[in-house]
Amino acid sequence: RRILATPLSARTFYLAQIIAYLVVALAQAATILGLGALVFDVPIAGNILYIGFLMLVGNLVFLNLGFIVGAFSNNAQAASGLGNLVVLPLMLFSGIFFPKDSLPEFLGDLVGYLPLAPMVDAVRGVTLDGKPFWEYPGELTVMAVWIVGTTLIATKIFRFR
């Protein structure tokens, strides 16, 4: 209610929320990577700045999707359910739980255009193989298109309630 009473525009509020969530997401990613390397001896072959860049790009897509889901939800419980409806299929088909190669060919090609599969491929390549992020132009392009598209949709449908 206090936000509604301020002269804050929806676009300014949206940008402030995105920046705040990105800072938290990058801190979480750094914590997870650091603990993985220090406690579990997980080798991180990639450049930390490249990994951070990919985390930033990926989080932009999913924060925007969260704003879109939130715009269609009446309360936190509905947002949680709708968010699961969006995220679980992405996780199932992106190569996180099982290889994309085991999917039927048409489905394997299709999931390459969803936001999580290209992110997973690029992050794995940079983190585990030590490749620079620019060796993944197709994956970055797909994620950039998702960022632009979801940003346009999220800023268009977001309303203070």
Side-chain angles (χ1 to χ4, degrees), residues 31-50:
T31 302
I32 291 168
L33 285 173
L35 286 174
L38 294 173
V39 176
F40 299 107
D41 294 323
V42 174
I44 298 174
N47 182 316
I48 297 298
L49 294 177
Y50 297 165

Side-chain angles (χ1 to χ4, degrees), residues 4 25 58 60 82 85 91 96 124 127 139 150 154:
L4 287 172
L60 279 172
L82 191 55
L85 185 66
M91 290 188 342
I96 290 176
R124 281 185 180 156
T127 305
E139 288 84 351
T150 56

Side-chain angles (χ1 to χ4, degrees), residues 12-79:
T12 303
F13 176 77
Y14 175 79
L15 183 61
Q17 289 289 97
I18 290 290
I19 291 169
Y21 286 126
L22 284 177
V23 168
V24 170
L26 290 175
Q28 288 174 335
T31 302
I32 291 168
L33 285 173
L35 286 174
L38 294 173
V39 176
F40 299 107
D41 294 323
V42 174
I44 298 174
N47 182 316
I48 297 298
L49 294 177
Y50 297 165
I51 296 167
F53 171 74
L54 290 173
M55 292 294 120
L56 183 77
V57 169
N59 274 290
L60 279 172
V61 173
F62 291 102
L63 286 172
N64 285 339
L65 285 173
F67 273 103
I68 293 168
V69 165
F72 289 107
S73 304
N74 293 330
N75 56 44
Q77 290 173 333

